[in-house]
Amino acid sequence: LFFDYHRQHGLRIKVARIFNTYGPRMHPDDGRVVSNFITQALRGEPITVFGDGSQTRSFCYVDELVEGLILLMDTPDDFTRPVNLGNPSEITIIELAARILEQTASKSEIRYVTLPQDDPLKRQPDITLAKEVVGWEPKVPLEEGLEKTIDYFDDLLREKPGSSHPW
């Protein structure tokens, strides 16, 4: 629809393909792997890993994604190609679980459950266009972004019941 409106009405458009993003202010029960692992670790619950954990993902810190979106919006009007915004650095799910366990100092155990049939084994963005045209690439190391995200969830989970939450 964006491209139809662009062609028919000259509407200025930008198309971002956003890959796994994480960071403070995520909802603790949003079902995404980073928030799931962090909340499970902080609560001392088992870390739920689908399959054997060898599937890979790439995680982009939220501040960097926002920067990429702003830079994309600032590209010339005639640039309308879809641009992948995400971190191309891959990590296996089991490695992510281990890092979160280490960074939270949690004693949680890893519990393996059946991998959903439609779960991709690899999810990694090609950000060549983002680098070349938008002038963007992520720089925040996963450990640094996880530290900020863990601090956020730790504070959130320590709040008293009934307090006001950001969601």
Side-chain angles (χ1 to χ4, degrees):
L1 283 173
F2 274 40
F3 288 101
D4 284 344
Y5 270 82
H6 174 68
R7 281 187 295 272
Q8 293 176 14
H9 305 289
L11 183 68
R12 182 174 185 252
I13 65 165
K14 299 297 171 187
V15 178
R17 294 184 66 225
I18 298 171
F19 286 73
N20 291 18
T21 307
Y22 72 99
R25 303 199 60 84
M26 294 174 74
H27 192 289
D29 300 315
D30 69 6
R32 292 187 279 175
V33 67
V34 172
S35 54
N36 283 353
F37 284 5
I38 291 173
T39 57
Q40 289 170 338
L42 291 173
R43 290 174 175 155
E45 300 169 355
I47 305 294
T48 306
V49 172
F50 290 96
D52 63 4
S54 64
Q55 63 274 32
T56 63
R57 298 293 182 267
S58 302
F59 298 99
C60 186
Y61 189 65
V62 65
D63 292 357
E64 295 193 301
L65 174 69
V66 170
E67 177 189 342
L69 289 168
I70 291 169
L71 290 170
L72 176 60
M73 288 185 279
D74 285 341
T75 57
D77 288 354
D78 64 346
F79 180 78
T80 59
R81 293 179 55 194
V83 175
N84 293 338
L85 296 176
N87 192 326
S89 179
E90 279 183 293
I91 184 172
T92 65
I93 294 299
I94 197 67
E95 288 172 319
L96 176 67
R99 285 191 189 181
I100 289 173
L101 286 171
E102 180 181 327
Q103 287 186 245
T104 59
S106 176
K107 302 277 188 241
S108 293
E109 295 181 2
I110 294 177
R111 181 182 66 194
Y112 296 92
V113 296
T114 305
L115 182 70
Q117 207 170 17
D118 61 348
D119 196 41
L121 297 180
K122 180 177 182 164
R123 195 174 300 150
Q124 178 190 34
D126 176 351
I127 64 165
T128 303
L129 200 56
K131 286 187 209 178
E132 293 173 357
V133 176
V134 179
W136 175 87
E137 66 180 304
K139 293 179 178 51
V140 174
L142 182 61
E143 293 78 15
E144 182 183 324
L146 285 177
E147 182 180 337
K148 293 175 184 180
T149 308
I150 290 166
D151 288 346
Y152 167 78
F153 277 109
D154 192 35
D155 290 345
L156 184 67
L157 295 175
R158 289 177 191 267
E159 288 182 5
K160 294 178 184 172
S163 63
S164 90
H165 294 288
W167 56 84

